[in-house]
Amino acid sequence: MPYRRRIARRGTLIVYYKDEYWRRTFRNMPGIEPTSVDKRYLLKLAPGGHVGRFVIWDESAFARLNEAI
């Protein structure tokens, strides 16, 4: 089928608040995407509108979410 849409699978999302080692550790690993909790974006959490991406939250990211609310 020539014009069939391809679905790009997304890997693990790591959410952190203070970048102690997260970005340096996972920047070259394919399929793992580290991001800051201050830059939260719905399409990163649920790409394509489908909920179910595996997300790892840092403890400091949870504390930052509680402060923001």
Side-chain angles (χ1 to χ4, degrees), residues 3-56:
Y3 296 107
R4 197 166 94 188
R5 190 176 84 166
R6 304 239 187 255
I7 297 174
R9 304 259 183 223
R10 293 297 205 149
T12 305
L13 180 70
I14 298 177
V15 181
Y16 61 87
Y17 173 55
K18 294 182 180 175
D19 185 21
E20 294 140 2
Y21 51 86
W22 293 107
R23 266 198 355 220
R24 285 179 288 149
T25 304
F26 296 111
R27 68 181 166 200
N28 290 328
M29 293 181 130
I32 297 179
E33 184 178 356
T35 187
S36 175
V37 72
D38 293 328
K39 298 178 184 176
R40 48 187 190 268
Y41 185 54
L42 185 60
L43 287 178
K44 284 191 179 261
L45 290 174
H50 300 288
V51 180
R53 184 173 186 183
F54 184 60
V55 181
I56 299 174

Side-chain angles (χ1 to χ4, degrees), residues 46-68:
H50 300 288
V51 180
R53 184 173 186 183
F54 184 60
V55 181
I56 299 174
W57 292 83
D58 188 24
E59 185 176 345
S60 62
F62 269 122
R64 176 69 176 164
L65 280 177
N66 288 334
E67 291 172 7

